[in-house]
Every structure is written in structure tokens, then in C-alpha cells.
Amino acid sequence: MRLHRPLLLAALVLPLAACQTMTPEERRAADETTCAGYGFRRGSEAMARCVLDLELDRRAESRAFQARSSSMMWRPMVVERRVIVERR
């Protein structure tokens, strides 16, 4: 039984340790690299538009994910309470 607890803890913690967040600067650099790979020149108006489009796509995807998650977690709840009325 004591062996199972460390294994369970490791199974829960390891996926979280694999998650990495990017700073805004790192994300912008990655977006610029992506747009440069598409053929846009750094410092151009087209590059700025490409980076903006990537950010807007990322935000839209995040909003869609949140909407799907919240709709699955919080379904409408119906509460029913019967009232019995008797004639006197």
C-alpha cells in the first residue's frame, strides 16, 4: 500500500511538470519565426499582420476552448419540488 502512494503522486505530478508556459517575449519570437518561415520579411507591414493574425487565432481558440469546457461542466440544473395540495 505504501508503494502505491508515491507512484500515484508521481503519476499526477509528472504531467504537470511537463507543461511549460512561454513568456510574451518568447511567444512573439516564436510567432515571428513562424511568419519568417512563411516568407515574410522582419520589420515589414506584412510580418506585423502575420504576427497579429497568429495572436488573434490563439485568442479565438482559447475562447472556444473555454466555451466548450464551461458548457460541459455546467449543464443547466433543474430543481423540482412537488407541492401536494389537499382540499379541506
Side-chain angles (χ1 to χ4, degrees):
M1 183 66 171
R2 294 204 185 268
L3 178 63
H4 294 296
R5 285 186 184 174
L7 291 176
L8 179 63
L9 182 62
L12 294 174
V13 172
L14 284 177
L16 291 176
C19 295
Q20 294 180 351
T21 57
M22 294 176 75
T23 66
E25 294 81 14
E26 291 171 335
R27 181 170 289 134
R28 180 166 175 90
D31 288 348
E32 286 182 356
T33 301
T34 299
C35 290
Y38 294 152
F40 296 107
R41 286 179 293 165
R42 295 188 189 274
S44 68
E45 190 71 27
M47 171 66 91
R49 184 65 191 175
C50 178
V51 171
L52 177 63
D53 287 344
L54 290 176
E55 179 62 25
L56 292 175
D57 287 347
R58 189 179 298 113
R59 289 181 185 188
E61 186 176 324
S62 175
R63 283 193 306 273
F65 175 76
Q66 288 175 351
R68 283 191 309 268
S69 296
S70 65
S71 69
M72 290 185 336
M73 290 180 62
W74 302 105
R75 297 189 187 246
M77 180 171 44
V78 178
V79 177
E80 182 179 309
R81 181 174 178 192
R82 296 181 184 227
V83 178
I84 300 173
V85 179
E86 295 179 4
R87 290 190 179 180
R88 291 185 185 194

